C-alpha cells in the first residue's frame, strides 16, 4: 500500500478507520494528502481606517485590534505572508471612500500581493483599485445583482477577480450582510 501511495505522488498519510480510494484501490485505515503546503492569508478588516473585527457581521459591533493598518500590513509582510486579504467594511456598508487613502497607503508600503473586497459595486470601482495597484478584487453584492457585468470585469482582468457569497440561514447576504 505504501508503494502505491508514493507512486501516486502522495506526500503524507495517516490512519483513518474508513477506506480511502487510490486509483480504484480501496485501502483500509489510511488517509492521503498530496499537497502539504498551506497558504494562510491574514485579513485586515477596515472600519474608520482601523483594523477591526465584527461580531457575526453586525456593523455596530466592531472591536479595534490595531489603530494602524499600514503597520499591521507591514507586520504581515515581515512575517512572510504571501498575500494580504483586506475588507473595506465601510464600503461594504455603502460608505465608500472612507478607507481609500489607508488602502492605497498599505499598497504603497508593502510588496505582498493584496486581495481587496468590500463595496466593489461597479466597473469604475474595479478600475479604481486596479489603477491603484491592488492585485485581486473580491466581488460579492455585484455578483448577485449584475452577474453579466462581473463576467465582463473578469474577462477584462483575467485571474484577478474572486466571487464571494456570504450565506446566512441558507440565504445569500449582500450589501455588507444587511440585505
Amino acid at each position: 500500500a505504501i508503494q502505491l501511495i508514493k507512486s501516486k505522488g502522495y506526500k503524507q498519510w495517516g490512519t483513518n478507520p474508513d477506506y480511502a480510494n487510490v486509483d480504484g484501490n480501496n485501502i483500509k485505515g489510511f488517509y492521503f494528502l498530496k499537497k502539504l503546503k498551506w497558504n494562510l492569508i491574514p485579513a485586515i478588516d477596515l472600519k474608520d481606517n482601523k483594523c477591526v473585527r465584527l461580531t457575526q457581521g453586525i456593523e455596530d459591533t466592531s472591536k479595534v485590534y490595531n489603530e494602524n493598518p499600514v503597520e499591521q500590513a507591514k507586520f504581515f509582510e515581515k512575517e512572510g505572508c504571501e498575500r494580504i486579504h483586506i475588507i473595506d467594511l465601510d464600503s461594504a456598508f455603502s460608505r465608500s471612500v472612507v478607507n481609500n487613502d489607508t488602502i492605497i497607503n498599505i499598497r504603497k508600503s508593502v510588496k505582498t500581493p493584496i486581495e481587496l473586497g468590500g463595496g466593489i459595486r461597479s466597473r469604475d470601482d474595479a478600475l479604481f483599485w486596479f489603477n491603484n495597484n491592488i492585485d485581486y478584487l473580491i466581488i460579492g453584492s455585484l455578483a448577485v445583482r449584475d452577474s453579466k457585468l462581473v463576467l465582463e470585469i473578469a474577462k477584462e482582468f483575467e485571474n484577478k477577480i474572486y466571487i464571494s457569497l456570504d450565506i446566512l440561514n441558507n440565504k445569500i447576504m449582500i450589501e455588507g450582510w444587511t440585505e
Side-chain angles (χ1 to χ4, degrees):
I2 300 300
Q3 288 177 333
L4 175 63
I5 293 165
K6 286 182 177 179
S7 74
K8 298 300 175 188
Y10 290 95
K11 308 281 188 228
Q12 181 178 347
W13 50 88
T15 60
N16 182 324
D18 299 318
Y19 287 91
N21 188 291
V22 177
D23 285 352
N25 297 296
N26 287 323
I27 303 173
K28 184 173 175 61
F30 287 96
Y31 67 84
F32 310 100
L33 298 173
K34 278 192 173 181
K35 185 176 181 181
L36 293 178
K37 183 179 176 188
W38 284 68
N39 291 325
L40 297 178
I41 302 173
I44 297 175
D45 291 356
L46 291 174
K47 185 169 187 266
D48 298 319
N49 296 295
K50 296 178 179 81
C51 301
V52 304
R53 282 287 179 254
L54 303 182
T55 301
Q56 297 181 340
I58 301 169
E59 182 179 7
D60 61 358
T61 63
S62 65
K63 178 178 178 183
V64 176
Y65 283 89
N66 192 328
E67 300 270 341
N68 190 330
V70 172
E71 290 304 313
Q72 186 65 60
K74 287 179 180 179
F75 170 80
F76 288 148
E77 182 172 72
K78 182 179 150 236
E79 291 299 309
C81 295
E82 296 176 10
R83 185 178 292 192
I84 299 172
H85 174 88
I86 299 175
I87 297 297
D88 183 346
L89 293 171
D90 289 299
S91 287
F93 291 116
S94 299
R95 288 187 311 280
S96 60
V97 308
V98 171
N99 298 303
N100 284 10
D101 288 342
T102 296
I103 296 166
I104 291 167
N105 287 335
I106 291 171
R107 173 68 288 161
K108 289 177 180 177
S109 300
V110 297
K111 294 178 182 163
T112 303
I114 292 173
E115 60 185 43
L116 173 67
I120 299 162
R121 298 200 173 98
S122 69
R123 184 176 179 283
D124 287 344
D125 291 338
L127 285 173
F128 175 82
W129 289 117
F130 285 129
N131 286 337
N132 280 284
N133 300 311
I134 297 300
D135 301 282
Y136 306 95
L137 294 179
I138 303 163
I139 297 176
S141 299
L142 183 62
V144 173
R145 293 197 187 281
D146 192 347
S147 59
K148 182 179 176 187
L149 176 58
V150 173
L151 286 171
E152 290 171 11
I153 295 169
K155 284 179 185 174
E156 184 174 355
F157 300 100
E158 192 171 328
N159 298 318
K160 298 286 188 177
I161 303 294
Y162 292 90
I163 303 299
S164 173
L165 298 176
D166 298 315
I167 309 292
L168 179 64
N169 297 325
N170 293 319
K171 180 182 174 191
I172 296 175
M173 303 300 293
I174 58 174
E175 306 296 328
W177 291 73
T178 60
E179 292 181 27

